Amino acid sequence: MKTLDIKLSSIEDVRNFVNIVSKYDMDIDLMSGRYVVDAKSIMGIFSLDLMKPIKLTAHSENADALLEEIKPYII
């Protein structure tokens, strides 16, 4: 399991991020405060407070390719 903080600053960032993570066959969660949503859900992401960093958890030991693709969003 890999955990890191990301920042999605615009609607375009959210759309691109969801397109990237949807390609991977692993569970990926986003957590903001006490809320946890599926990272592959645009509606779920928009229910979070996007003004703050969001904690991403990839439930896979081999998430290196994913981390490389989402590098622009990692803070």
Side-chain angles (χ1 to χ4, degrees):
M1 179 169 26
K2 306 269 187 194
T3 302
L4 50 101
D5 288 332
I6 64 167
K7 180 76 172 160
L8 300 171
S9 303
S10 68
I11 294 170
E12 188 69 22
D13 284 351
V14 172
R15 189 173 63 82
N16 291 336
F17 177 81
V18 170
N19 287 337
I20 292 168
V21 298
S22 293
K23 296 188 293 187
Y24 292 90
D25 187 30
M26 68 178 85
D27 289 332
I28 305 168
D29 296 327
L30 295 178
M31 185 171 70
S32 178
R34 62 185 180 134
Y35 298 102
V36 178
V37 300
D38 184 352
K40 298 174 184 176
S41 167
I42 289 177
M43 294 298 288
I45 293 173
F46 281 123
S47 71
L48 300 176
D49 181 3
L50 298 178
M51 301 307 287
K52 299 177 185 173
I54 302 167
K55 185 167 296 299
L56 177 140
T57 303
H59 299 277
S60 173
E61 292 304 318
N62 190 13
D64 296 335
L66 168 68
L67 297 181
E68 186 63 33
E69 280 199 76
I70 64 168
K71 193 178 278 188
Y73 307 110
I74 297 173
I75 55 172

